[in-house]
Amino acid sequence: MSDANDRTVASNRKARYAYDVLDSWEAGLVLRGSEVKSLLDAKVQITESFGRPENVEIWLLGLHISPYSMSSGEGMGHDPDRPRKLLLHRAEIRRITERM
């Protein structure tokens, strides 16, 4: 089920060159409204990001999403470097943490 809106916004080609990628997962991200708009404008840096398990969740750290340029007013933006929760099934999280 491919949609016209399905497109890659950011990829880390350097990581695939520098490391042996043994497995990959597709996950969702918990985002705020202004972050979604910045992602649609491809204002994201993924090169220094990594996942870290905490309790029964995995958090993405080091991902930089620039503030949306058209947001108006104070408090409407977001912290560009905040940790973001990855949305994965519990079984996937368990498999990932067991491999670490």
Side-chain angles (χ1 to χ4, degrees):
M1 183 170 118
S2 179
D3 189 31
N5 292 330
D6 286 349
R7 63 184 172 123
T8 302
V9 176
S11 64
N12 191 352
R13 293 182 299 194
K14 187 177 180 181
R16 294 203 180 270
Y17 176 78
Y19 302 100
D20 290 330
V21 178
L22 302 176
D23 212 346
S24 62
W25 290 272
E26 188 171 316
L29 277 173
V30 176
L31 299 172
R32 297 190 178 142
S34 61
E35 291 175 327
V36 174
K37 293 178 181 183
S38 291
L39 280 176
L40 291 175
D41 287 343
K43 306 285 186 186
V44 60
Q45 287 284 351
I46 195 169
T47 55
E48 299 294 323
S49 63
F50 61 96
R52 174 178 290 159
E54 291 182 16
N55 299 329
V56 292
E57 301 172 336
I58 297 184
W59 291 84
L60 186 63
L61 305 169
L63 179 70
H64 179 85
I65 301 176
S66 297
Y68 185 59
S69 60
M70 300 298 211
S71 64
S72 61
E74 289 290 319
M76 294 299 291
H78 61 273
D79 178 14
D81 297 315
R82 75 176 182 87
R84 290 164 181 93
K85 183 177 173 181
L86 290 176
L87 301 174
L88 293 161
H89 292 284
R90 279 188 207 277
E92 291 175 321
I93 293 172
R94 193 175 328 110
R95 268 185 260 141
I96 292 168
T97 54
E98 285 173 357
R99 286 182 147 186
M100 296 174 89

